[in-house]
């Protein structure tokens, strides 16, 4: 039986561990927190997973919260004008629903399931010196912990990383009590664009205390949304979140007038990081090799909501690659080939995300505006969140954008 070590217990690490376990591999997961510590801690992310990524969980039978989590059936975009009025507002329906499950619930539950099924869980912080030993005792070591010392083993790929500094200051609040959007009677992620300031995303989700909404500000560094860095008090974090909504997205603030409250004391998060693509293979002092997973090697800004989706897709690709490799050694060629297969999808996410961080060119503004009059444009944009590769066919190039708009425009009398 082949022995595999996975360092990190997030979406990718645990999904891969459970998948390998189901195929009879001897898998160890190392993480620095117990399931109880994860469940009782602060929120970890703003995850919203779309149909393809949810399918990978269904295939493994680990979609434990699918019946409980709100079904996200659409994705809407609003754009704020100079007077904080909505100058664009539309929603596109998704072909398959998405869902957002608080990772405190999911990761704690998956870690417990892995252990109950006979997997070995080691609660211990891992340093590079530890991996030097483990690389000699396991057939394959995968690093799925995207922060800390271990990430330094994976060098930045400058050719795929146009930004060397954070492009957004991030702020999250999980809340109860937000009213529905009056424009539609189904759950939808709402993307509110405030030109020159940043973005507000409102995401229906499931948390420890039930259904909730995630209020997620992405602020241009140094701008009016970049005010959460020194805030430690959760109540002050929520007050600032709502105050900024009232100023910049009053139509979303109207949903909060009935009174909103944090889901729990750990329901806030703030931070920032530079988007980066790293080399997938880490070389240890002894010459041993480890393979980077998901955010370790491709860390995009969350503006396009792809972090958990990328993680699920990476885990699925790596699972297939490991199973197909049989008893052959997990050498450098295997590691590079596995990452290259993952990059076939991830490159489209990185290109799209980096494009959305920059001021939009005129043809993109035209597309976003046209979606308000042409349902086919809204539908295609919304479903690009599940299949970002499709943006290559109509979004980036002005000529392709124009051809697409012409193809869906009503005939002139």
């Amino acid at each position: 039986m082949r022995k595999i070590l996975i360092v990190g217990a997030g979406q990718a690490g645990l999904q891969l561990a459970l998948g390998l376990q189901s195929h009879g591999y001897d898998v160890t997961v190392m993480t620095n927190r117990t399931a109880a510590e994860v469940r009782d801690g602060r929120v970890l992310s703003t995850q919203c997973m779309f149909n393809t990524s949810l399918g990978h969980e269904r295939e493994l039978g680990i979609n434990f919260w699918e019946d409980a989590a709100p079904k996200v059936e659409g994705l809407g975009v609003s754009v704020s004008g100079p007077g904080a009025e909505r100058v664009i507002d539309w929603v596109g329906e998704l072909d398959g629903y998405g869902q957002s499950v608080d990772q405190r619930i999911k990761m704690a539950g998956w870690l417990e399931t892995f252990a109950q099924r006979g997997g070995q869980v080691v609660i211990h912080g891992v340093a590079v010196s530890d991996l030097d030993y483990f690389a000699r005792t396991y057939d394959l070591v995968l690093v799925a912990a995207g922060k800390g010392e271990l990430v330094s083993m994976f060098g930045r790929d400058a050719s795929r990383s146009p930004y060397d500094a954070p492009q957004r200051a991030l702020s999250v609040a999980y809340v109860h009590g937000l009213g529905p959007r009056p424009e539609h009677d189904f759950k939808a992620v709402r993307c509110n664009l405030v030109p020159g300031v940043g973005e507000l995303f409102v995401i229906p989700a499931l948390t420890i205390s039930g259904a909730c909404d995630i209020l997620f500000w992405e602020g241009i560094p140094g701008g009016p949304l970049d005010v959460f860095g020194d805030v430690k008090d959760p109540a002050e974090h929520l007050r600032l979140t709502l105050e900024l909504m009232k100023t910049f997205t009053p139509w979303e603030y109207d949903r909060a007038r009935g009174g909103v409250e944090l889901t729990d004391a750990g329901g806030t998060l703030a931070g920032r990081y530079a988007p980066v693509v790293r080399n997938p293979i880490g070389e240890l002092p002894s010459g041993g090799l480890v393979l980077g997973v998901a955010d370790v090697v491709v860390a995009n800004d969350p503006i396009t909501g792809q972090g958990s989706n990328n993680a699920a897709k990476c885990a699925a690709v790596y699972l297939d690659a490991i199973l197909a490799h049989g008893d052959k050694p997990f050498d450098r060629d295997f590691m590079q080939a596995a990452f290259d297969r993952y990059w076939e999808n991830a490159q489209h996410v990185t290109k799209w995300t980096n494009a959305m961080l920059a001021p939009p060119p005129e043809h993109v503004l035209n597309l976003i505006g046209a979606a308000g009059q042409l349902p086919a444009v809204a539908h295609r944009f919304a479903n690009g969140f599940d299949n970002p590769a499709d943006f290559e066919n109509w979004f980036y190039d002005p000529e392709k954008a124009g051809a697409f708009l012409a193809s869906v425009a009503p005939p002139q009398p």
Side-chain angles (χ1 to χ4, degrees), residues 374-395:
L374 301 172
V377 180
H379 177 266
R380 194 166 189 181
F381 189 94
N383 284 280
F385 281 74
D386 185 44
N387 177 26
D390 184 51
F391 286 110
E392 198 68 52
N393 301 317
W394 66 282
F395 190 76

Side-chain angles (χ1 to χ4, degrees), residues 60-92:
L60 296 176
I62 56 174
N63 54 325
F64 304 141
W65 303 275
E66 186 157 4
D67 291 339
K71 291 179 170 58
V72 176
E73 297 180 302
L75 187 135
V77 171
S78 298
V79 180
S80 178
E85 74 283 6
R86 275 184 292 181
V87 295
I88 294 172
D89 182 51
W90 51 262
V91 61

Side-chain angles (χ1 to χ4, degrees), residues 41-48 100-106 171-178 201-217 234 237-238 241-242 260-270 308:
R42 297 179 72 90
V43 293
L44 302 169
S45 65
T46 58
Q47 69 294 313
C48 184
S100 174
V101 177
D102 185 337
Q103 288 197 346
R104 294 177 296 179
I105 298 175
K106 183 187 283 188
S171 164
V172 175
Y174 280 51
V175 300
H176 290 309
L178 196 69
F201 298 87
V202 184
I203 307 168
L206 176 71
T207 190
I208 293 165
S209 50
C212 71
D213 287 280
I214 302 172
L215 305 176
F216 175 33
W217 277 113
H237 187 115
L238 178 60
T241 297
L242 296 174
V260 300
E261 59 183 8
L262 291 174
T263 57
D264 62 281
T268 62
L269 184 68
S308 293

Side-chain angles (χ1 to χ4, degrees), residues 14 25 36 43-44 69 81 106 115 121 165 204 208 232 236 243 261 274 299 331 350 360 391 410:
L14 286 174
Y25 284 73
V43 293
L44 302 169
K106 183 187 283 188
V121 177
I208 293 165
K232 305 301 180 187
E236 175 64 8
E243 181 180 290
E261 59 183 8
D331 55 14
T350 296
F391 286 110

Side-chain angles (χ1 to χ4, degrees), residues 9 14 34-40 44 65 102-114 116:
L14 286 174
T34 66
E37 288 171 334
V38 171
R39 189 180 285 113
D40 295 338
L44 302 169
W65 303 275
D102 185 337
Q103 288 197 346
R104 294 177 296 179
I105 298 175
K106 183 187 283 188
M107 300 314 139
W110 278 1
L111 190 61
E112 289 167 344
T113 298
F114 174 75
Q116 290 163 3

Side-chain angles (χ1 to χ4, degrees), residues 316-339:
V317 167
Y318 282 15
L319 175 61
D320 288 347
I322 291 168
L323 297 179
H325 204 60
D327 294 329
K328 292 176 286 191
F330 294 112
D331 55 14
R332 183 183 294 273
D333 288 343
F334 164 81
M335 293 180 179
Q336 187 65 53
F339 172 78

Side-chain angles (χ1 to χ4, degrees), residues 1 6 18 53 58-59 81 88 115 123-124 138 161 181 229 253 263 267 283 330 340 352 376 405:
M1 185 184 297
I6 298 173
L18 288 160
S53 301
R58 295 182 189 116
E59 289 169 5
I88 294 172
I123 307 300
H124 192 274
Y138 288 87
S161 306
R181 282 296 291 265
Y253 179 75
T263 57
E283 188 162 347
F330 294 112
D340 289 345
W352 176 42
L405 289 179

